[in-house]
Amino acid sequence: MSAEKLSFEDFEPGRRFALGPKPVLAEEIIEFAQEFDPQPMHLDESAGRASILGGLAASGWHTSAMLMRMMADSYIVRALCEGAPGIDLMEWRKPVLAGDTLQGHSTVLEARQMRSRPGMGIVKFRHALENQRGEVVCLSENSVMIRMRLPPEGANMSSELPA
Amino acid sequence: MSAEKLSFEDFEPGRRFALGPKPVLAEEIIEFAQEFDPQPMHLDESAGRASILGGLAASGWHTSAMLMRMMADSYIVRALCEGAPGIDLMEWRKPVLAGDTLQGHSTVLEARQMRSRPGMGIVKFRHALENQRGEVVCLSENSVMIRMRLPPEGANMSSELPA
């Protein structure tokens, strides 16, 4: 089963993966905001229009979560992925409004083996999402731990996180 | 009404705001993962135990969203907040597991008026969340646009985002 999955070796610098399209629904914006970011411009159409965002706008943290879902659907779930240590860059460049459709690409920036964890590599991606007018709304970079197809001899899959 | 809210002037460098406590429930971890990050270690207890995370673990994007909610409850919703341009730093330092309780602080790092938008300031925060064992699980920095209490003469509240 693992043989069919994407491994570290498949993420060569320059390789691109399509993200989306993902239509952004008003009810999803409101539902996320109620749970995680209850500010008026994320909860109510008229409050959004009155704000500098110009309409019912997704929380940036919601846009980030939608980006993760697009990554998952494109390549993460079918890869030997072991999690991520964080986010290196996250720019919310334009408002994401109800009715927008997001799509974009993840591009492999670099890939290196982890010294602290034999058999595992770190792949750094750059992600860009555009709206239906071709405007970049979200630019991000993050690194993901992905297992190698053939761990080196003596590899020790311990259960601690890398330092 | 605005007079009761926190304005840019209230966010002096060094001021700290408490975050949490926030108990992390297994069903919340699974619900978020189903919508935004459907990887096995975020969906299933036994898959989490078999992973390097060591248990049913919240997606880092979920931890980030929980951080936003703690900020909202602590100071964002009662401030004249106009949104944020992104995240400057986001480190997921330790796994956040079902049953953990998160708490921490936001600290004001710097505050400056926006040249491009009279009457508005940018406040940069550092956020740290610990689990119930005092381990830092999440370290983050981001900047938030907050209106000034007394906009300067001739202030122009336009509806475009700053460049």
Side-chain angles (χ1 to χ4, degrees), chain A:
Chain A
M1 184 183 80
S2 287
E4 299 165 10
K5 286 210 161 190
L6 295 173
S7 66
F8 172 74
E9 294 85 345
D10 295 310
F11 292 89
E12 294 177 356
R15 185 167 177 181
R16 275 159 58 105
F17 297 87
L19 300 174
K22 160 64 185 161
V24 181
L25 307 180
E27 51 266 39
E28 293 174 342
I29 290 175
I30 294 167
E31 188 183 1
F32 186 97
Q34 285 172 335
E35 187 164 1
F36 297 113
D37 192 357
Q39 298 185 72
M41 63 281 204
H42 305 316
L43 290 168
D44 180 76
E45 172 73 33
S46 60
R49 284 186 194 280
S51 80
I52 65 173
L53 300 175
L56 179 66
S59 165
W61 308 82
H62 185 195
T63 299
S64 303
M66 289 188 280
L67 167 63
M68 177 64 232
R69 180 54 190 253
M70 286 183 255
M71 289 189 249
D73 290 344
S74 179
Y75 55 89
I76 290 288
V77 165
R78 63 192 176 97
L80 296 168
C81 177
E82 293 279 356
I87 304 170
D88 299 314
L89 176 78
M90 180 58 73
E91 295 179 3
W92 302 316
R93 293 203 162 189
K94 294 268 185 184
V96 172
L97 301 179
D100 281 356
T101 296
L102 304 183
Q103 59 184 326
H105 287 88
S106 293
T107 307
V108 177
L109 290 184
E110 54 185 75
R112 62 177 174 81
Q113 298 184 31
M114 293 179 72
R115 291 185 193 181
S116 61
R117 188 177 285 280
M120 194 87 81
I122 282 264
V123 179
K124 183 168 184 174
F125 294 93
R126 186 175 182 87
H127 318 288
L129 292 178
E130 298 182 352
N131 63 20
Q132 66 282 3
R133 290 181 298 281
E135 299 166 326
V136 175
V137 296
C138 177
L139 205 62
S140 180
E141 292 180 8
N142 86 316
S143 296
V144 179
M145 293 185 285
I146 302 177
R147 285 206 303 279
M148 299 171 69
R149 189 170 294 124
L150 296 172
E153 289 286 319
N156 174 23
M157 304 297 278
S158 76
S159 61
E160 287 176 32
L161 284 178

Side-chain angles (χ1 to χ4, degrees), chain B residues 47-86:
Chain B
R49 284 187 193 279
S51 79
I52 65 174
L53 300 175
L56 179 66
S59 166
W61 308 82
H62 185 195
T63 299
S64 303
M66 288 189 280
L67 168 63
M68 177 64 232
R69 179 56 190 251
M70 286 182 254
M71 290 189 249
D73 290 343
S74 178
Y75 55 90
I76 290 289
V77 165
R78 64 192 174 97
L80 297 168
C81 178
E82 293 280 357

